Structures are given as structure tokens and as C-alpha cells.
Amino acid sequence: MNMGCIRMVFVLRWLPFSCGNSSQIQFSLNGMYQKGDVILGGLFEVHYFTVFPELSFTSEPQQLHCEGFDSFGFQQAQTMAFAVDEINRNPDLLPNITLGYQLYDNCLKLGVSFRAAMSMASGTEEEFLLDETCSGSPPVLGIVGDPGSTHSIAISSVLGLFRVPMVSHYATCSCLSDRGKYPSFFRTIPSDAFQVRAMIQILRRLGWTWVGLLFSDDDYGVHAARSFHSSLSESGGCVAYSQLLPKDNRPTELQRIVREIKSSSARVVVVFSNEAYLLPLLDEVVVQNVKGLQWIASEAWTTSSVFHTPRLMPYLGGTLGIAIRRGEIPGLRDYLLSVRPEDQPANNPGNNMVRQFWEAEFGCRLEPLAGWVEAGGDVCTGQEDLRDVETNYGDVSELRPEYNVYKAVYALAHALHDLLQCVPGRGPFSGHRCASLQRLEPWQLVHYLERVNFTTGFGDRVSFDDNGDALAIYDILNWVWLQDGSVQVENVGVIDESAPAGQELTLDEDRIFWNFESKKPPRSVCSESCLPGTRVARKKGEPVCCFDCISCAEGEVNSTECSRCPEDFWSSPERDLCIPKGVEFLSYQESLGISLMTASLLGALICAVVLGIFTRYRNTPVVKANNSELSFLLLLSLKLCFLCSLLFIGRPRLWTCQLRHAAFGISFVLCVSCILVKTMVVLAVFRTSKPGAKASLKWFGAGQQRGTVLVLTSFQAAICTAWLVSASPTPHKNTRYHNDKIVYECVVGSVAGFGALLGYIGLLAFLSFLLAFLARNLPDNFNEAKFITFSMLIFCAVWISFVPAYVSSPGKYADAVEIFAILASSFGLLVALFGPKCYIILLRPERNTKKALMGRATTKT
């Protein structure tokens, strides 16, 4: 069997049907019809309610009928009729082709909508003929609608099997973007996925992270709520409560929902619903007097004027809503107001929509039933003027769904136009074939519809992505409650998904009306953001937006998760940022460093002065006594001892760390070696005064003295070299002493090396002290031993106390202790050894003679 026949048998499989001649049950469907070469279908919500007949199962049931005329739905249907008429008058679009339309009222019921769609797809005539191959063009090439997501899902599931194109102007469920399930579904309204992203951007812009969620019990509401949940959590927000609006409007359920809204700390309520689900809930909101909420409206009810009443506006004033793009259609208003009931024949249910509109608009009957006139009803003449009636039907200032209808009709027309422009042999189908209007398959039109791309007269580009979705662009509306009680809907922003990243949202916050005493946007957060220096502590069992704030530990910063500052940084007192740590070392700029440097330079200066005195009086007995050469070498070593302390001041560097201890160790060994040799010479000289002891003096000549000093100093130089080569001292940033401060110091590298250096100095000092102590009772005028004894006593006392003081002193104070030990011992040696001699040279010159020096020794012998 041919696919065309299979298609019609499937969609109306419950009816007797054959390919050649078939009859089918006629359904009473409200609609409008206009003949043409090509027919486009349309589904619109023109009535609110459907009245079904009683089923007795003993006779054929009567036809259903619809009640509650909706002028907005009729306006959308008339917009389609206007678009078809405009296309027929356009010589550049579909030339030599006349479009017709078959529009039906879905009466807001899935069963009615599905029945109408199947009727359009398969034909509504009691008898129709196809050619002998059981093929031909379908009764309608494509359908504009249905506006409802649930209706579109059901209809497109069937029509998609045969690739019959369906272009909805108002069905937003994101599930319809599934190309596997709905391969021939398109829409000129953005998907709810885009709408949800738009809402999330508004919430983020205004700082609302704690919101309530209400949604209708249908495909539109359920899918939008599911998408909103996931998107909000990804953006860092939380849903305080999520409530399904019941279909049956049970009072107990509505009361429970409103009580939860009232008790919640969330000040922002997001609603995905239409008027039918939302109105009963708002009635309960008024009863319980729940004010102080910021309502966020989905596109399904943003533009609905049914809420703009004095009863509801104290609660809904200031509502922010997502609205589909407003457009302008020149000439539409005149077309809407020119409609007349005589345009449609009477007693034809399939072409009676204008007559129903006329009767609803003027409150009269064109063909009154028996008793109508008697009951006081009016009879329509058909000549009434729509301009004389105060109605929203002719208002074209807010064309939103109507503009989408207009674009949907043009999308189908452009796709058909492109199909007919195909050049034979260059077609897109197998064998480079082109489609023909006489043998057109629905999937061929779908192929061109997927590639349609045009710009409306209003300047909006119309095209579809791979999922059949239109370019997403929304207006942001604000319900302004004026002082006179009226409502004005203001456009306060735009969300354009095609804009560069980060620039999708444009919102003029200064123009927004806030229905609060403060006239400012409300705060809607579960927990206030943690102050700088504190971290988030999650509350068990509660959303991530609800938390406590705990202070960060020292050295940690951040307002969400405390993190350790880098090694060279420390947290500020507020714990909000990492700041560089303070740096500590013995500096030339601080008072302690200046004092020690002054003492060091003073000692070096005194050594220079003494050296100058000794040079000036180098030929005097006091200077020449006990090897003046050693005295000069001793003064030079003391000067080096004073100056080496300067290496301990200033920021430690590799060369200063390596040089400071080596210079200190060698300088002091040179100094102590000179003292040791002088002591040995003193003892040797006095031993020669005894019989037979002069032979030992030959071992203490000037050369031997210099050689001894050189050898003793070389040992220290060897120790320092081995130390520097094996484990050299290096600069180190120490953070153990202070958390907020870096102490720059020199680590000794090898404790053994440092110990050997100090130990060797101590050994020489001890030997000097011991020999000097043994020679302390020699004749005073010639004896230097008692001064050496006293100087070594000072030296040893200083360095013995140095060790515990150095170990217990942190940071720069360890350097200060070492400098103090160097200066104290150096000054002790300088004063003890050279003070008495300078006293004699400068103040008692009469004693600076050989006779004076030897005389007292003679009297004592």
C-alpha cells in the first residue's frame, strides 16, 4: 500500500476508510475556511470550555460544543488569515499560487485539538478522490499551532511519523526540542529552556538566590519546573519550596500551598503556569492576605490582563515577567475591524468562527433561537461597527503571540516558495530531484522549513536551529500599579540569546516599579553572604544556600571556603585577603642595628687610633716590648673582629652568610693566636733569666712567632673551607617564630662545622688564659701576663655566656647576640691589652723608658 494511504489509515484508523472512496464521521468543529491552491491549517484557543454530550450508549451522541469566547484567541486566528491574505497580494512570494487556510478552535481541550489536527491532515470531506496510485498532496501542507504544549506533544507525536510540518506559535515545552520524537515540529516562540535561562539571568542580576516555585500540572509547567530546578542550582541559587498547582483547584490544597508561601523566608515567587491554574491560587493569596512578595511571571501569563484588577494588584503590583517578543504588523488593525459575519455562510460549523465572535462581541444573536427575543435578547443585524465597541480585539499595541502566528505563516510560505524555486537537476533530494506541488510529500516541505531564513518587516530574523527552535529573544515586562488603581505594563529590558556572551541581559532597573514601602528590590536569600574573613559552613539537611559563617583561621582567607595564603603572605585582620608578610632581619635602619653598627665602627676607629699611636711611638720601650710586630698584628686582627660584625647586619644574602662566620672565625683565631704567642714569649723570656734557660729562647724568635700565628690561623682557615664546601651557610626565610612575619636568617648549614669553628677559638682562648694565669706573678713592670689573663677572662666569660643566649634568641636577636659577643670580647681585649700601654705612652711618658720598665723589676729581685 502507498505511504499516502497508510498515513490516512493510521490517523483515522478507527473510521471506515478506503483509498478510493471513503466516508467518515463528521465532527462539529468551530473554524474558518478559505479556499486556495494550497491550504494551511491552524489551531487556536477561541473558546475556554468544552461541553460534552451525555453518553447513553443507546443512540448516537450529539455533537460537543464550546463556550466562553476568547477574543484574544480569535485575534490570533484572524492574524493568520491576514498573513495569508497579505502573502496572496505579494507578487514576490509564491507568485501564481493562492494560499488558503483551514482554522479550527481547540476549545482548550486535547481531544478537540487532536481531532481537529487529524481532520486537517486527512481531509474533512465525506468523499474525496486520490489518483490511481493512491498518492497526492495532503489536505493541508502544514499546521500553525497548537498553542498548548500538551496538545502539541500529542499531535506532533502522530504527525511527526509522516513528517507533516507543524509550526507552533505558543508551545514552549523544552521537551518538544527532541528531534527524535518530534522530527517535524517547529516553533516561532523560544523554548522553555531559553525562558528558564532568561529567568535565571534576572535572578542573578538582582541577587535573588532563594526563591519559591509554583508550576501548573501539565507538560508546560512540569518540564519548565524541572529545567528551572537544575539551572538554578547550577547558578548557585536554591528553591525554597516547589509546589504543583492542582488541576481540580481543591481548596484544601490551595490553602496548604499559600500557607507554605506565607511561612517561607523566600520573598521571590517564580510561576510557570497559565491563568486557569493560577487564578484560584491568587484568590487564596488574597484571602490569607499574603503581601510583600515579588512575583516572577512566565510568558504564559505575563501579558494576561485578567490579573489587572483592583482586588489582585495590591498583591501582584511590581510583577516582573518574561514575555515573548512584541512585534508590529502594519495593516492588521484595519483588517481586524473590517471583519463581517456575512463573510461566512450560515449553518456551517466548520466556517462559523466569525459569526460566534460577532455574537459574543455585541451580545446578540444573528439567528436567534425560539424564545430568545421574547426573553429580551437582541438580534444582530451584521452591520454593527466594531469601532463603536470598547474591546481589546482591535488593540494591536502588544502583538506577541499574534506576531508569532504571523511569523509561522510566513515561515511556511517561504519554505514552500523555496521548494517551488528549485531548478530541475539541482534539487536537494536523491538524484538531484526537485519536489513538485502536484506530488508533494510532507517531509520535502520539512526539508525547506529547516533551512528557512528571512527577515520580517519589523526587522526580526526568522530561522530555526537544529531542534526546530526559533532564535530566543524576550521582553522583560513590569506591572506598574498607578495611583488611580490602573495598571500599566512597562517594557524594562530585553534578553537576547544571540547577543555576545555576558551581554544577553539588558535591564533598566531604574524604571522598575517595586511594590514595597522601600521602593527597592527585596532581599531574597536564605543566608546572607559571609563577611570577608569567614567561610561557609553547610547546614545539614538544608539547601546549599542556607549556611552558617565561621571565621577563618589565621593565615586563611576567602568568603566561601577558607584557603591557606601562600608562604610569603598572611591574612589581613579582616581575613578577606592575603597580604605580604612582614620581613624581619637586623637592619641598618632600626635602632638596634644602628647601635651595633656604631659600636662596631667605634671599635674599629679606636683600633686605628691605637695603631696610629703605636706607629708614632714604635721606637719607645713600651711598644717595642714583647715583639711590637705581634702588637701591630693583634691590633689589625681586632680591627677585623670589629668590622666583621657588620656582616651580621642587613638582609642575609648567600655571600654574607658564607663570609660572616668565616671572617669572624679567622679574625678571632688570628687575634687569640697573637695573644697566645705573646703569652708564650713572656714565659720564655722570664725563664731565660734562670741559669741554663737561654737556649730555649731561640725557639721564640720573630720568625717563629710569625710562623706560629700563621699555622694556628691556617687551621681555622682549613676548618672554614671544609665547612663552606661541605655544608655552606645559606639565607633562610623562617616562619616558625611568627605566623605573620618572615624572619630572614642565615642557617649554619653544618652544626659540626660551626661547632668546630667556635671550639677551636675556645681551645686557643683557654690555652692563652691558662699560660697567662701561670705567668701572672712575674715582675709587674715587665709583665704583660696579668693583662692577658684579665682579657682572656673577659673573652672566655663572654663566649661561654654566648652559647645559651644564642640558642635561645629567635631571629634577628640571635644575630644581635653574636654581634654583642664579638664587640664585647673585642673591646675587652682592646682595653685590657692596649689600655695600660696607651696610658703610659700618652699620660705617663716618663715611665716609657727601658730603665723605668726594668727598674722596678730589679728592686724586686
Side-chain angles (χ1 to χ4, degrees), residues 725-761:
V725 172
S726 61
S728 173
T730 56
H732 173 64
K733 293 186 291 186
N734 194 329
T735 58
R736 293 182 291 107
Y737 300 136
H738 307 282
N739 289 328
D740 58 346
K741 192 180 296 182
I742 299 174
V743 177
Y744 281 90
E745 60 184 12
C746 289
V747 292
V748 294
S750 172
V751 177
F754 187 49
L757 181 144
L758 292 179
Y760 185 65
I761 296 175

mmCIF file of all heavy atoms in Angstrom, residues 725-761:
data_model
loop_
_atom_site.group_PDB
_atom_site.id
_atom_site.type_symbol
_atom_site.label_atom_id
_atom_site.label_comp_id
_atom_site.label_asym_id
_atom_site.label_seq_id
_atom_site.Cartn_x
_atom_site.Cartn_y
_atom_site.Cartn_z
ATOM 1 N N VAL A 725 82.580 24.250 51.926
ATOM 2 C CA VAL A 725 82.482 23.318 50.810
ATOM 3 C C VAL A 725 81.444 22.234 51.064
ATOM 4 O O VAL A 725 80.652 21.868 50.187
ATOM 5 C CB VAL A 725 83.862 22.686 50.509
ATOM 6 C CG1 VAL A 725 83.739 21.563 49.486
ATOM 7 C CG2 VAL A 725 84.829 23.746 50.013
ATOM 8 N N SER A 726 81.411 21.711 52.282
ATOM 9 C CA SER A 726 80.511 20.585 52.591
ATOM 10 C C SER A 726 79.086 21.026 52.847
ATOM 11 O O SER A 726 78.130 20.446 52.311
ATOM 12 C CB SER A 726 81.045 19.819 53.800
ATOM 13 O OG SER A 726 81.088 20.679 54.945
ATOM 14 N N ALA A 727 78.867 22.028 53.660
ATOM 15 C CA ALA A 727 77.503 22.471 54.003
ATOM 16 C C ALA A 727 77.546 23.958 54.292
ATOM 17 O O ALA A 727 77.609 24.389 55.448
ATOM 18 C CB ALA A 727 76.962 21.698 55.198
ATOM 19 N N SER A 728 77.502 24.724 53.235
ATOM 20 C CA SER A 728 77.685 26.169 53.363
ATOM 21 C C SER A 728 76.472 26.812 54.022
ATOM 22 O O SER A 728 75.322 26.402 53.800
ATOM 23 C CB SER A 728 77.888 26.772 51.975
ATOM 24 O OG SER A 728 77.907 28.179 52.048
ATOM 25 N N PRO A 729 76.693 27.821 54.868
ATOM 26 C CA PRO A 729 75.563 28.598 55.396
ATOM 27 C C PRO A 729 74.791 29.267 54.253
ATOM 28 O O PRO A 729 75.388 29.733 53.280
ATOM 29 C CB PRO A 729 76.234 29.628 56.301
ATOM 30 C CG PRO A 729 77.562 29.047 56.640
ATOM 31 C CD PRO A 729 77.977 28.263 55.427
ATOM 32 N N THR A 730 73.484 29.317 54.382
ATOM 33 C CA THR A 730 72.628 29.897 53.346
ATOM 34 C C THR A 730 71.558 30.764 53.985
ATOM 35 O O THR A 730 71.166 30.541 55.140
ATOM 36 C CB THR A 730 71.942 28.797 52.512
ATOM 37 O OG1 THR A 730 71.211 27.931 53.393
ATOM 38 C CG2 THR A 730 72.962 27.980 51.734
ATOM 39 N N PRO A 731 71.064 31.762 53.246
ATOM 40 C CA PRO A 731 69.945 32.559 53.774
ATOM 41 C C PRO A 731 68.673 31.723 53.821
ATOM 42 O O PRO A 731 68.444 30.854 52.975
ATOM 43 C CB PRO A 731 69.821 33.713 52.784
ATOM 44 C CG PRO A 731 70.461 33.219 51.534
ATOM 45 C CD PRO A 731 71.532 32.247 51.948
ATOM 46 N N HIS A 732 67.842 31.997 54.803
ATOM 47 C CA HIS A 732 66.636 31.193 55.005
ATOM 48 C C HIS A 732 65.507 32.090 55.493
ATOM 49 O O HIS A 732 65.718 32.991 56.321
ATOM 50 C CB HIS A 732 66.913 30.092 56.035
ATOM 51 C CG HIS A 732 65.693 29.324 56.440
ATOM 52 N ND1 HIS A 732 64.973 28.546 55.566
ATOM 53 C CD2 HIS A 732 65.068 29.218 57.645
ATOM 54 C CE1 HIS A 732 63.963 27.993 56.195
ATOM 55 N NE2 HIS A 732 63.998 28.384 57.460
ATOM 56 N N LYS A 733 64.288 31.839 54.932
ATOM 57 C CA LYS A 733 63.098 32.574 55.378
ATOM 58 C C LYS A 733 62.385 31.721 56.427
ATOM 59 O O LYS A 733 61.742 30.723 56.109
ATOM 60 C CB LYS A 733 62.167 32.863 54.194
ATOM 61 C CG LYS A 733 62.770 33.826 53.189
ATOM 62 C CD LYS A 733 61.783 34.218 52.113
ATOM 63 C CE LYS A 733 61.461 33.078 51.186
ATOM 64 N NZ LYS A 733 60.612 33.533 50.056
ATOM 65 N N ASN A 734 62.499 32.138 57.652
ATOM 66 C CA ASN A 734 61.958 31.367 58.765
ATOM 67 C C ASN A 734 60.581 31.901 59.145
ATOM 68 O O ASN A 734 60.420 33.087 59.440
ATOM 69 C CB ASN A 734 62.907 31.458 59.970
ATOM 70 C CG ASN A 734 62.594 30.432 61.040
ATOM 71 O OD1 ASN A 734 61.450 30.055 61.223
ATOM 72 N ND2 ASN A 734 63.626 29.990 61.745
ATOM 73 N N THR A 735 59.578 31.016 59.114
ATOM 74 C CA THR A 735 58.207 31.403 59.503
ATOM 75 C C THR A 735 57.768 30.707 60.784
ATOM 76 O O THR A 735 56.593 30.770 61.148
ATOM 77 C CB THR A 735 57.233 31.055 58.364
ATOM 78 O OG1 THR A 735 57.321 29.643 58.085
ATOM 79 C CG2 THR A 735 57.554 31.837 57.108
ATOM 80 N N ARG A 736 58.695 30.053 61.472
ATOM 81 C CA ARG A 736 58.320 29.327 62.687
ATOM 82 C C ARG A 736 58.162 30.259 63.888
ATOM 83 O O ARG A 736 57.401 29.985 64.797
ATOM 84 C CB ARG A 736 59.373 28.256 63.004
ATOM 85 C CG ARG A 736 59.422 27.125 61.992
ATOM 86 C CD ARG A 736 60.455 26.069 62.378
ATOM 87 N NE ARG A 736 61.821 26.583 62.259
ATOM 88 C CZ ARG A 736 62.593 26.883 63.299
ATOM 89 N NH1 ARG A 736 62.126 26.740 64.535
ATOM 90 N NH2 ARG A 736 63.827 27.346 63.114
ATOM 91 N N TYR A 737 58.877 31.363 63.874
ATOM 92 C CA TYR A 737 58.827 32.262 65.018
ATOM 93 C C TYR A 737 57.531 33.058 65.070
ATOM 94 O O TYR A 737 56.912 33.223 66.125
ATOM 95 C CB TYR A 737 60.019 33.223 64.989
ATOM 96 C CG TYR A 737 61.361 32.544 65.022
ATOM 97 C CD1 TYR A 737 62.389 32.957 64.182
ATOM 98 C CD2 TYR A 737 61.619 31.476 65.886
ATOM 99 C CE1 TYR A 737 63.634 32.344 64.210
ATOM 100 C CE2 TYR A 737 62.856 30.854 65.909
ATOM 101 C CZ TYR A 737 63.867 31.278 65.070
ATOM 102 O OH TYR A 737 65.079 30.670 65.093
ATOM 103 N N HIS A 738 57.107 33.556 63.887
ATOM 104 C CA HIS A 738 55.906 34.398 63.804
ATOM 105 C C HIS A 738 55.083 33.958 62.600
ATOM 106 O O HIS A 738 55.636 33.783 61.504
ATOM 107 C CB HIS A 738 56.266 35.880 63.664
ATOM 108 C CG HIS A 738 57.210 36.372 64.719
ATOM 109 N ND1 HIS A 738 56.816 36.664 65.998
ATOM 110 C CD2 HIS A 738 58.553 36.610 64.665
ATOM 111 C CE1 HIS A 738 57.852 37.072 66.695
ATOM 112 N NE2 HIS A 738 58.928 37.047 65.917
ATOM 113 N N ASN A 739 53.763 33.810 62.776
ATOM 114 C CA ASN A 739 52.900 33.415 61.656
ATOM 115 C C ASN A 739 52.769 34.519 60.615
ATOM 116 O O ASN A 739 52.618 34.244 59.425
ATOM 117 C CB ASN A 739 51.506 33.042 62.174
ATOM 118 C CG ASN A 739 51.517 31.726 62.927
ATOM 119 O OD1 ASN A 739 52.304 30.842 62.611
ATOM 120 N ND2 ASN A 739 50.645 31.607 63.920
ATOM 121 N N ASP A 740 52.781 35.759 61.091
ATOM 122 C CA ASP A 740 52.547 36.875 60.194
ATOM 123 C C ASP A 740 53.828 37.590 59.787
ATOM 124 O O ASP A 740 53.792 38.711 59.297
ATOM 125 C CB ASP A 740 51.593 37.885 60.838
ATOM 126 C CG ASP A 740 52.134 38.409 62.155
ATOM 127 O OD1 ASP A 740 53.089 37.801 62.691
ATOM 128 O OD2 ASP A 740 51.611 39.419 62.648
ATOM 129 N N LYS A 741 54.961 36.948 60.019
ATOM 130 C CA LYS A 741 56.227 37.626 59.759
ATOM 131 C C LYS A 741 57.242 36.604 59.243
ATOM 132 O O LYS A 741 57.290 35.464 59.687
ATOM 133 C CB LYS A 741 56.726 38.280 61.049
ATOM 134 C CG LYS A 741 57.861 39.256 60.872
ATOM 135 C CD LYS A 741 58.270 39.826 62.224
ATOM 136 C CE LYS A 741 57.143 40.636 62.855
ATOM 137 N NZ LYS A 741 57.560 41.229 64.132
ATOM 138 N N ILE A 742 58.053 37.047 58.289
ATOM 139 C CA ILE A 742 59.144 36.223 57.767
ATOM 140 C C ILE A 742 60.437 36.714 58.385
ATOM 141 O O ILE A 742 60.787 37.896 58.277
ATOM 142 C CB ILE A 742 59.231 36.317 56.231
ATOM 143 C CG1 ILE A 742 57.938 35.812 55.575
ATOM 144 C CG2 ILE A 742 60.426 35.516 55.716
ATOM 145 C CD1 ILE A 742 57.910 36.009 54.078
ATOM 146 N N VAL A 743 61.131 35.826 59.062
ATOM 147 C CA VAL A 743 62.407 36.166 59.676
ATOM 148 C C VAL A 743 63.506 35.679 58.744
ATOM 149 O O VAL A 743 63.667 34.474 58.520
ATOM 150 C CB VAL A 743 62.554 35.521 61.062
ATOM 151 C CG1 VAL A 743 63.930 35.834 61.645
ATOM 152 C CG2 VAL A 743 61.457 36.018 61.990
ATOM 153 N N TYR A 744 64.249 36.622 58.209
ATOM 154 C CA TYR A 744 65.383 36.274 57.358
ATOM 155 C C TYR A 744 66.590 35.998 58.245
ATOM 156 O O TYR A 744 66.973 36.839 59.066
ATOM 157 C CB TYR A 744 65.691 37.402 56.371
ATOM 158 C CG TYR A 744 64.783 37.434 55.181
ATOM 159 C CD1 TYR A 744 63.602 38.172 55.194
ATOM 160 C CD2 TYR A 744 65.097 36.711 54.035
ATOM 161 C CE1 TYR A 744 62.767 38.197 54.107
ATOM 162 C CE2 TYR A 744 64.258 36.743 52.932
ATOM 163 C CZ TYR A 744 63.099 37.484 52.977
ATOM 164 O OH TYR A 744 62.271 37.493 51.885
ATOM 165 N N GLU A 745 67.182 34.845 58.075
ATOM 166 C CA GLU A 745 68.325 34.465 58.880
ATOM 167 C C GLU A 745 69.264 33.597 58.055
ATOM 168 O O GLU A 745 68.884 33.099 56.982
ATOM 169 C CB GLU A 745 67.876 33.710 60.134
ATOM 170 C CG GLU A 745 67.116 32.426 59.835
ATOM 171 C CD GLU A 745 66.604 31.755 61.098
ATOM 172 O OE1 GLU A 745 66.649 32.394 62.159
ATOM 173 O OE2 GLU A 745 66.149 30.601 61.000
ATOM 174 N N CYS A 746 70.459 33.426 58.591
ATOM 175 C CA CYS A 746 71.421 32.529 57.957
ATOM 176 C C CYS A 746 71.454 31.221 58.741
ATOM 177 O O CYS A 746 71.727 31.228 59.954
ATOM 178 C CB CYS A 746 72.822 33.149 57.954
ATOM 179 S SG CYS A 746 73.027 34.525 56.827
ATOM 180 N N VAL A 747 71.137 30.142 58.071
ATOM 181 C CA VAL A 747 71.264 28.842 58.718
ATOM 182 C C VAL A 747 72.722 28.392 58.569
ATOM 183 O O VAL A 747 73.352 28.593 57.516
ATOM 184 C CB VAL A 747 70.299 27.806 58.098
ATOM 185 C CG1 VAL A 747 68.873 28.155 58.407
ATOM 186 C CG2 VAL A 747 70.488 27.703 56.591
ATOM 187 N N VAL A 748 73.256 27.797 59.629
ATOM 188 C CA VAL A 748 74.681 27.498 59.634
ATOM 189 C C VAL A 748 75.041 26.383 58.668
ATOM 190 O O VAL A 748 76.215 26.216 58.321
ATOM 191 C CB VAL A 748 75.142 27.129 61.061
ATOM 192 C CG1 VAL A 748 75.008 28.320 61.968
ATOM 193 C CG2 VAL A 748 74.361 25.930 61.598
ATOM 194 N N GLY A 749 74.051 25.654 58.201
ATOM 195 C CA GLY A 749 74.342 24.569 57.262
ATOM 196 C C GLY A 749 74.815 23.338 57.981
ATOM 197 O O GLY A 749 74.125 22.331 58.068
ATOM 198 N N SER A 750 75.994 23.392 58.538
ATOM 199 C CA SER A 750 76.566 22.266 59.280
ATOM 200 C C SER A 750 76.812 22.711 60.712
ATOM 201 O O SER A 750 77.646 23.602 60.976
ATOM 202 C CB SER A 750 77.877 21.797 58.641
ATOM 203 O OG SER A 750 78.509 20.836 59.449
ATOM 204 N N VAL A 751 76.077 22.123 61.643
ATOM 205 C CA VAL A 751 76.281 22.443 63.061
ATOM 206 C C VAL A 751 77.681 22.019 63.496
ATOM 207 O O VAL A 751 78.337 22.679 64.316
ATOM 208 C CB VAL A 751 75.204 21.744 63.908
ATOM 209 C CG1 VAL A 751 75.437 22.009 65.395
ATOM 210 C CG2 VAL A 751 73.822 22.225 63.499
ATOM 211 N N ALA A 752 78.153 20.900 62.936
ATOM 212 C CA ALA A 752 79.500 20.426 63.276
ATOM 213 C C ALA A 752 80.560 21.423 62.840
ATOM 214 O O ALA A 752 81.549 21.687 63.564
ATOM 215 C CB ALA A 752 79.758 19.070 62.624
ATOM 216 N N GLY A 753 80.395 21.986 61.650
ATOM 217 C CA GLY A 753 81.346 22.980 61.174
ATOM 218 C C GLY A 753 81.363 24.205 62.056
ATOM 219 O O GLY A 753 82.431 24.746 62.401
ATOM 220 N N PHE A 754 80.142 24.692 62.421
ATOM 221 C CA PHE A 754 80.054 25.862 63.289
ATOM 222 C C PHE A 754 80.637 25.552 64.660
ATOM 223 O O PHE A 754 81.335 26.374 65.265
ATOM 224 C CB PHE A 754 78.590 26.289 63.402
ATOM 225 C CG PHE A 754 78.392 27.588 64.128
ATOM 226 C CD1 PHE A 754 79.135 28.714 63.801
ATOM 227 C CD2 PHE A 754 77.459 27.686 65.148
ATOM 228 C CE1 PHE A 754 78.940 29.925 64.467
ATOM 229 C CE2 PHE A 754 77.262 28.881 65.819
ATOM 230 C CZ PHE A 754 78.002 30.006 65.480
ATOM 231 N N GLY A 755 80.358 24.345 65.146
ATOM 232 C CA GLY A 755 80.917 23.947 66.441
ATOM 233 C C GLY A 755 82.422 23.843 66.411
ATOM 234 O O GLY A 755 83.108 24.228 67.381
ATOM 235 N N ALA A 756 82.976 23.321 65.317
ATOM 236 C CA ALA A 756 84.433 23.223 65.204
ATOM 237 C C ALA A 756 85.067 24.602 65.189
ATOM 238 O O ALA A 756 86.141 24.826 65.788
ATOM 239 C CB ALA A 756 84.797 22.454 63.933
ATOM 240 N N LEU A 757 84.419 25.535 64.497
ATOM 241 C CA LEU A 757 84.940 26.909 64.443
ATOM 242 C C LEU A 757 84.980 27.523 65.828
ATOM 243 O O LEU A 757 86.017 28.068 66.255
ATOM 244 C CB LEU A 757 84.075 27.733 63.499
ATOM 245 C CG LEU A 757 84.465 29.196 63.281
ATOM 246 C CD1 LEU A 757 84.190 29.602 61.839
ATOM 247 C CD2 LEU A 757 83.673 30.117 64.209
ATOM 248 N N LEU A 758 83.878 27.441 66.568
ATOM 249 C CA LEU A 758 83.842 28.014 67.910
ATOM 250 C C LEU A 758 84.745 27.235 68.860
ATOM 251 O O LEU A 758 85.408 27.825 69.734
ATOM 252 C CB LEU A 758 82.396 28.008 68.428
ATOM 253 C CG LEU A 758 81.406 28.943 67.737
ATOM 254 C CD1 LEU A 758 80.013 28.795 68.343
ATOM 255 C CD2 LEU A 758 81.858 30.394 67.842
ATOM 256 N N GLY A 759 84.766 25.925 68.692
ATOM 257 C CA GLY A 759 85.600 25.105 69.582
ATOM 258 C C GLY A 759 87.080 25.411 69.442
ATOM 259 O O GLY A 759 87.825 25.437 70.448
ATOM 260 N N TYR A 760 87.521 25.624 68.233
ATOM 261 C CA TYR A 760 88.925 25.935 68.001
ATOM 262 C C TYR A 760 89.285 27.284 68.618
ATOM 263 O O TYR A 760 90.352 27.435 69.242
ATOM 264 C CB TYR A 760 89.217 25.926 66.505
ATOM 265 C CG TYR A 760 90.667 26.112 66.165
ATOM 266 C CD1 TYR A 760 91.618 25.151 66.544
ATOM 267 C CD2 TYR A 760 91.100 27.235 65.480
ATOM 268 C CE1 TYR A 760 92.955 25.321 66.230
ATOM 269 C CE2 TYR A 760 92.432 27.411 65.158
ATOM 270 C CZ TYR A 760 93.360 26.440 65.529
ATOM 271 O OH TYR A 760 94.689 26.615 65.230
ATOM 272 N N ILE A 761 88.392 28.262 68.462
ATOM 273 C CA ILE A 761 88.628 29.565 69.109
ATOM 274 C C ILE A 761 88.671 29.391 70.614
ATOM 275 O O ILE A 761 89.546 29.942 71.322
ATOM 276 C CB ILE A 761 87.525 30.578 68.718
ATOM 277 C CG1 ILE A 761 87.563 30.858 67.219
ATOM 278 C CG2 ILE A 761 87.680 31.873 69.506
ATOM 279 C CD1 ILE A 761 86.431 31.751 66.722
#
